[in-house]
Each structure stands twice: as C-alpha cells, then as structure tokens.
Amino acid sequence: MTRDEHCNQFLKNHRLLASQYDYKEILKSFWSEMEKGLKGEDSSLKMIPSYISIPDSAPKNKKIIVLDAGGTNFRTAVINFDEESNTKIEYFEKYPMPGIKKEYTKEEFFNQIAEYLRPVLDESDQLSFCFSYATKIDSQRDGTLLVWTKEIKAPEVVGEKILANIGLALKEKGLPCPKTMLIMNDTIASLLAGVTATKFSKEFNYIGFILGTGTNCSYIEINSSITKEEGLIDNQKQAINVESANFNKIERGDIDIAYDNTTNNPGQYVLEKMISGGYIGNLCYKILSVASSEGLLSETTMSKLEKRGTIDEKALNTILEGLLSQQPDFEDCSNNDLITIKTIISEVVERAALLTATNMAAAIIKSSNSSDIKKFCVSADGSVYYKLYSFRERAEKYLAEILLPYNIEIKIVKINDAPLIGAAVAGLSI
Ligand code: BGC
C-alpha cells in the first residue's frame, strides 16, 4: 500500500472523509429536528424563540450598555447611535469569561458580572446582553441557562435566570440596576448586525451564523410554526436560535466518539465537537495519536506532537499551509510524516467545512420556506470561519453547491464587533 492509500484507508476506517457525509441526508435530518424542536417534541435542536424580530429602522440618538459573554472573553461596552444612526463604541473593556479558568459558584458568577458592569452603570439605563450559551428566553426577554457549553465551569448557574440574578447582585452591592434589560444568543445578535449591513432593508431575509469557540445559527421563523410557544401572534415573525451545535443526527467515527468522551458533556453538542474552535485542535491531536498507533506516523514525530500536548489554532494553520517543516521542533521530521499530518488535518477541516455549509444551508432553506424573500444576508462571525486557513473558501464552495437547486441568493457579511452592534440594535429597538 502506498502512503496515500494507507492514509485514505485510515481516514475512511474512522469516518473522517468529508465524502462519507451525505449533505442531502444530513439536511433532511436537520429539517426534521428543526420541526420537532419548534413543536416542543424531543429533538437535538432546541429551536429557542428570541422574542426579537427585525426592527424597521436603525436607532438614533441613543446610548446603551452592552455585555457580551463569549467562549473565552467577557466584554463590557457602551454603544452610542448618533442622529444619523452611526455607531460609536464609547467604552470597551475585555475580561476573562467567568468559569473558563476555574469553577465559579452561582454567587461568584453573578457578582463578577456586577463588577464588570460597575464602571458603566451611569452611562445608560438600558442594557442588552449577548450571551453565547443555550438559554431559554421568556416573553420578558430574560433567559434561563439550559446548559453550559465551551467547557465553562459554573454548574450552579444552570437553571438560573441570568438578568434577574444580575439585578439581585447589583442590588446587594448597592449599585443601580438598568431600567430595561434583555438577553439574546450571539447568533441573534449576529443576525441583527447583518440587518445594519443592509441598512434595515426589507428586501433581505436574515441569518446569523457563528463558528468560533462554539458554533450555532439563527434564522427568521413565522410564529404560527412555533407551536410550542403560547401567546404568539400568528402572522408575525421572530428570530429563532437553532442551537445547532447540539445536532446529533450524524453518524460519527470512533475517534470522534472517543474524543467526545473526554469532554465535560459527553454525548451532547456533538456537531460542535466535530467542527468548532473549542474542540477541533484537540480532536486533531487525538486523531494523529491514533494514526501513530496504527503505524502512519513515526514515534519520533508523534513524540514531538506530544510535547505540545494539543494542536492550537496557530499550529493548525501552520500545518494546513504546509509550513510545519519550518518549525524548529519539526525540522528533522521525515517528509512522509509531514505529508501525512497535513493530509489528515486537511481532511478533518474539509469535513468541518462540509458540516458547516450544511448547517448554514439548513437554516437558509428552512427560512425561505416561510417567506417570499429568497435573497439572504448571512451575517457570519467567529475565528474559525475567518481565520482557519482555507476554511471559509471550502465552506462557501459547499454552500454554493448545496443551494444550487433552490433559487436562493446569498450575501455573506462580516460585521466588526457583530455581537456588540447586534445586541445594541436589539436593545434599542424593542
Ligand atoms: C452555544 C450557542 C452559541 C454557540 C456560538 C454554542 O456552544 O450553545 O448558544 O450560539 O456556541 O457561540
């Protein structure tokens, strides 16, 4: 067997080849799970109503405090819209996300957020919170955390109302509480940031998509289809947080499963663990260890990888660009090993690109079914989507192929500070 054949056999045996994943089948499962989620039936997709719809126009002469809890960082900002609706970030501070480095109790978690808020409380009496975790939103637009992802450690916060608890923590500290507060998922904020890019055009349909530490998408749904929720006005529409990271109707390979078993929440968020920045480096490392144990990589090369202990985003890019041989610790590796590493990692990224495109397409096509507007503005955000070498091109190639039969036009936009801008728009428009 040649090296190429051996590599291909390895990838096939462990279901790592993109060609082993049939996007047409996966799309069908996506739609079926989406439908079930909207009806409140058992589904891997939570399909969470946001109680936010597309505003008619941009805010003017208003200022709002925005919080953004992401996978790694927590940001506090004050956003100002002038009389021409130009946005200005007037205050910006970045902190570590509570629970990322060490475990937080509920009290510590909300106290920390109150402290992050302290410097800006006099700036505005409106607050909008972009919260990048699975959170059930109520009609008052507070949210109850359903589950932590991205390996955050603050178990007591699960099941808690986020804004109500922030209010209590502020009160305990004798600090003022903003008069209006709302919370939304980061994909909803991203979708709304996309609306600013088209200047609130009604000629577009809108999608929010994230692929960074975690992954997810949002789209616009007609209320009459959201049968699980009571009291909605039937002919109106709102943005839905799909929570697509938890999609589990994909037949994974054995290494995917073995890796999943080493994470905080085995069996959950399986799509995310195959494609997102919080996991893909560790997954690739695990795959290379198995490749080495099956004789595809020499022990010397594997021991060099073991010294690093994982493959971070920078190393992934170095490998994909074919530059690993220029790294001082890999200079003396055999060419064979270097090609094997690149071939394997490149295929894992190809698979991630295919699954990403399928995820985006599932939301786009689903949304187009309940709307006459076939022109979409997809606001995409996240480091993996834009910074992982060759990823965006690969994903958008698949997306174009998947959408070809559907007569749908898409424009993918990248908005700077999308979570902050989108959350500010939402907070000032309702
Ligand atoms: C969370 C989603 C979030 C996504 C992207 C996932 O882990 O569950 O709510 O939108 O990451 O940040």
Side-chain angles (χ1 to χ4, degrees):
M1 223 194 287
T2 65
R3 190 200 53 82
D4 273 0
E5 285 164 352
H6 195 179
C7 233
N8 201 56
Q9 194 58 52
F10 168 82
L11 291 165
K12 197 169 169 199
N13 289 347
H14 298 289
R15 262 188 91 71
L16 293 168
L17 288 174
S19 59
Q20 290 173 292
Y21 293 77
D22 178 353
Y23 65 69
K24 290 190 179 146
E25 285 306 313
I26 301 175
L27 270 180
K28 277 193 218 148
S29 313
F30 242 113
W31 292 325
S32 150
E33 292 289 279
M34 287 171 113
E35 285 300 334
K36 287 187 200 158
L38 288 173
K39 289 183 191 144
E41 292 170 7
D42 192 30
S43 166
S44 61
L45 297 178
K46 295 189 183 78
M47 305 296 283
I48 305 171
S50 63
Y51 286 88
I52 292 174
S53 52
I54 305 290
D56 288 329
S57 58
K60 279 188 184 23
N61 291 321
K62 283 178 179 167
K63 199 152 121 175
I64 186 163
I65 300 168
V66 175
L67 300 178
D68 170 24
T72 318
N73 297 310
F74 189 104
R75 300 175 187 86
T76 306
V78 175
I79 314 273
N80 189 25
F81 288 78
D82 68 14
E83 67 277 7
E84 259 129 40
S85 300
N86 298 314
T87 50
K88 193 165 159 218
I89 302 182
E90 291 193 343
Y91 173 97
F92 179 84
E93 226 19 275
K94 195 161 89 176
Y95 309 95
M97 173 66 194
I100 189 83
K101 291 191 181 141
K102 65 170 184 84
E103 183 163 321
Y104 272 61
T105 63
K106 171 184 156 190
E107 205 187 339
E108 285 167 341
F109 183 83
F110 290 111
N111 273 337
Q112 185 65 75
I113 296 182
E115 286 306 323
Y116 289 165
L117 262 172
R118 187 189 282 271
V120 290
L121 284 166
D122 290 339
E123 296 291 327
S124 168
D125 56 10
Q126 286 180 281
L127 180 148
S128 186
F129 193 174
C130 172
F131 192 64
S132 311
Y133 301 91
T135 304
K136 165 122 178 64
I137 309 295
D138 61 34
S139 55
Q140 305 304 303
R141 299 187 186 83
D142 194 353
T144 305
L145 178 66
L146 299 173
V147 59
W148 280 121
T149 52
K150 302 167 184 157
E151 311 293 294
I152 298 295
K153 297 171 282 299
E156 291 171 16
V157 179
V158 175
E160 291 293 329
K161 289 231 181 214
I162 304 297
L163 297 177
N165 275 292
I166 293 176
L168 288 175
L170 290 171
K171 199 170 164 205
E172 291 247 311
K173 288 176 187 286
L175 294 169
C177 186
K179 279 202 194 82
T180 61
M181 302 203 273
L182 81 161
I183 192 165
M184 79 214 65
N185 186 256
D186 54 348
T187 55
I188 306 287
S190 176
L191 183 151
L192 288 169
V195 180
T196 66
T198 70
K199 306 221 171 323
F200 293 73
S201 166
K202 302 266 179 251
E203 285 167 24
F204 282 89
N205 214 323
Y206 295 92
I207 298 286
F209 177 77
I210 314 266
L211 180 58
T213 310
T215 192
N216 193 8
C217 63
S218 66
Y219 75 104
I220 303 294
E221 184 58 270
I222 181 121
N223 281 349
S224 54
S225 296
I226 314 170
T227 50
K228 67 177 170 187
E229 212 78 352
E230 280 171 15
L232 299 180
I233 303 173
D234 264 6
N235 58 0
Q236 293 188 355
K237 292 185 169 187
Q238 63 173 296
I240 298 284
N241 164 16
V242 175
E243 278 298 315
S244 59
N246 194 41
F247 179 67
N248 65 6
K249 300 286 171 276
I250 320 173
E251 195 194 326
R252 298 175 288 167
D254 59 342
I255 310 179
D256 292 304
I257 296 168
Y259 170 60
D260 181 11
N261 286 335
T262 69
T263 63
N264 275 351
N265 51 353
Q268 290 182 45
Y269 281 72
V270 297
L271 173 61
E272 179 153 283
K273 289 170 189 166
M274 295 168 87
I275 69 175
S276 82
Y279 302 94
I280 197 165
N282 286 335
L283 173 65
C284 286
Y285 178 77
K286 177 112 194 154
I287 292 168
L288 293 179
S289 313
V290 177
S292 163
S293 70
E294 293 186 15
L296 259 166
L297 279 179
S298 70
E299 274 175 28
T300 340
T301 299
M302 194 58 217
S303 68
K304 289 173 194 291
L305 288 167
E306 274 162 7
K307 268 199 200 120
R308 294 192 174 196
T310 180
I311 304 182
D312 60 17
E313 224 165 291
K314 200 165 151 226
L316 278 180
N317 279 338
T318 308
I319 294 169
L320 291 166
E321 287 174 74
L323 299 176
L324 192 59
S325 59
Q326 292 175 18
Q327 298 283 302
D329 43 343
F330 284 85
E331 265 169 353
D332 55 348
C333 286
S334 74
N335 209 26
N336 233 347
D337 278 357
L338 293 170
I339 297 177
T340 301
I341 293 177
K342 186 177 171 194
T343 309
I344 292 176
I345 302 299
S346 190
E347 196 56 33
V348 177
V349 170
E350 185 73 17
R351 182 181 74 160
L354 172 74
L355 294 173
T356 294
T358 312
N359 178 3
M360 288 167 123
I364 294 171
I365 300 165
K366 174 92 177 74
S367 191
S368 79
N369 291 340
S370 61
S371 168
D372 296 334
I373 306 167
K374 307 291 175 199
K375 199 156 106 184
F376 279 81
C377 171
V378 180
S379 170
D381 201 24
S383 56
V384 174
Y385 196 77
Y386 291 108
K387 291 193 189 141
L388 184 61
Y389 180 79
S390 72
F391 187 87
R392 182 178 179 181
E393 294 73 25
R394 296 185 199 217
E396 289 179 16
K397 199 167 142 255
Y398 280 121
L399 186 58
E401 181 185 326
I402 301 172
L403 293 179
L404 202 59
Y406 290 93
N407 191 25
I408 284 172
E409 199 185 313
I410 59 163
K411 170 174 158 178
I412 300 183
V413 294
K414 180 180 190 312
I415 312 293
N416 289 335
D417 299 306
L420 299 179
I421 302 299
V425 169
L428 293 174
S429 307
I430 53 158

